[in-house]
Amino acid sequence: MSLMILRAGPAALVQDLGRPGHAALGVTGSGAADRAAAALALRCLGTDPGAAVLELLLGGLVLMTDSPAVVAVTGARGLVVVTTSSGSRRTAATGEVLRLDAGSTLEIGRPDTGVRTYLGVRGGIEVPPVLGSRSRDTLSGLGPPPLVAGDVLAVGDAVVGPWADHWHAAGGDPRGVMGPRGGTGPRVGAGPGGRGGGPDPVVLDVIPGPRDDLFPPGAWRVLAETGHVSGHADRVGVRIDPAGPVPRSSTREIPSEGMVRGAVQVPADGSPVVFGPDHPVTGGYPVIGVLTSRSSDALSQLLPGAPVSFRRVSE
């Protein structure tokens, strides 16, 4: 079974849980930017949580399957269109589990809410792993390259649970989760990635440390005020335009130290930078805190200009 990419959109990447444990080699963890949305796509397909999915920035993907397949679309909310080999066309939405017949095409449009959509296929996307992961690291260039029209992706067999036996048969669900005729299965939640910067700020929870002692108490007051996602936002990091410069006890740089996803680093200009999945492994500015996993997922779904604020929380 394979999927042919007819149109890739602005950025279509293969992602899984990432490749943690290689920071000593200068390799970051990478992996899906919205972990919860990626995990949801695999979970509702009965596929191993370590399998790979497609991460789509601002939609735009069109693909065709050469065999029956079952897929799920999660994350940013938008229109999904399925066209059969006979030309029959129907629309679906983010959060649906879909059965595709051989020769069908699937189109994922530009999201109405959020920016990253995840496409999972039962069995997982099968590409050669690099350092134990199938994720694309946009900073180092490790992993499979961004998809382009004409690429063909193999589908693996990483099916678990009650779906594991005879799952290839007609691409359907042996337990009847899929309707016997329709291409639509149950509607599932779009996941936390569905949020998308309305008039109310998205509140990002921050666990203090490791260098919060280098900031005066007023730093947390500034972070709690409404700022905005700047135009400098990608998988490496997101710069925040704060309500005012976040004060530091000292503007001098500190010795480089290890960084993690969600780290809130504050340069001398007082504009926080939140590290994404493809962040550098070290940095020389103090980190006042680290976003919770849920908040990191939420930030990955926000467009430039979206209002945000930070909330100090305990572990």
Side-chain angles (χ1 to χ4, degrees):
M1 181 190 302
S2 61
L3 308 174
M4 174 175 284
I5 306 300
L6 304 181
R7 188 175 73 217
L13 306 175
V14 177
Q15 296 291 345
D16 58 16
L17 294 178
R19 50 178 66 83
H22 300 290
L25 302 177
V27 177
T28 193
S30 195
D34 186 341
R35 292 178 177 176
L40 178 61
L42 294 171
R43 186 164 62 248
C44 65
L45 293 170
T47 296
D48 190 299
V53 299
L54 298 186
E55 178 182 279
L56 314 174
L57 179 65
L58 299 178
L61 180 80
V62 181
L63 61 76
M64 181 173 65
T65 177
D66 65 355
S67 303
V70 183
V71 302
V73 182
T74 60
R77 295 187 177 97
L79 184 65
V80 179
V81 179
V82 177
T83 305
T84 67
S85 58
S86 63
S88 174
R89 183 177 183 272
R90 73 171 198 83
T91 60
T94 304
E96 290 195 43
V97 179
L98 305 168
R99 175 176 172 176
L100 305 180
D101 295 327
S104 294
T105 62
L106 176 74
E107 179 177 358
I108 298 177
R110 183 183 176 92
D112 299 318
T113 305
V115 297
R116 288 183 170 89
T117 305
Y118 291 84
L119 174 65
V121 57
R122 182 170 294 172
I125 302 296
E126 186 67 29
V127 296
V130 177
L131 293 177
S133 171
R134 295 178 170 86
S135 284
R136 173 65 175 184
D137 183 337
T138 60
L139 183 62
S140 69
L142 289 176
L147 299 178
V148 297
D151 285 346
V152 177
L153 296 172
V155 176
D157 58 359
V159 184
V160 296
W163 292 270
D165 294 332
H166 311 297
W167 72 278
H168 284 288
D173 191 330
R175 290 172 59 98
V177 175
M178 294 294 158
R181 298 180 64 84
T184 306
R187 182 73 185 270
V188 297
R195 294 187 294 269
D200 296 327
V202 174
V203 179
L204 304 174
D205 289 334
V206 186
I207 300 171
R211 298 299 179 190
D212 54 316
D213 59 325
L214 299 180
F215 296 84
W220 288 104
R221 289 194 292 271
V222 173
L223 288 170
E225 297 176 11
T226 300
H228 295 84
V229 175
S230 80
H232 301 284
D234 56 22
R235 284 180 50 87
V236 177
V238 177
R239 182 178 291 273
I240 303 298
D241 292 330
V246 178
R248 289 168 41 179
S249 300
S250 172
T251 57
R252 66 178 178 86
E253 292 189 18
I254 62 175
S256 294
E257 52 190 4
M259 293 290 143
V260 296
R261 174 182 186 254
V264 182
Q265 186 176 245
V266 182
D269 66 1
S271 296
V273 176
V274 184
F275 281 9
D278 296 346
H279 63 83
V281 293
T282 61
Y285 297 120
V287 172
I288 191 171
V290 178
L291 296 189
T292 62
S293 181
R294 181 184 293 271
S295 289
S296 290
D297 288 346
L299 181 59
S300 75
Q301 292 288 0
L302 299 182
L303 283 165
V308 295
S309 65
F310 295 89
R311 177 171 58 193
R312 180 175 179 169
V313 298
S314 59
E315 290 188 71

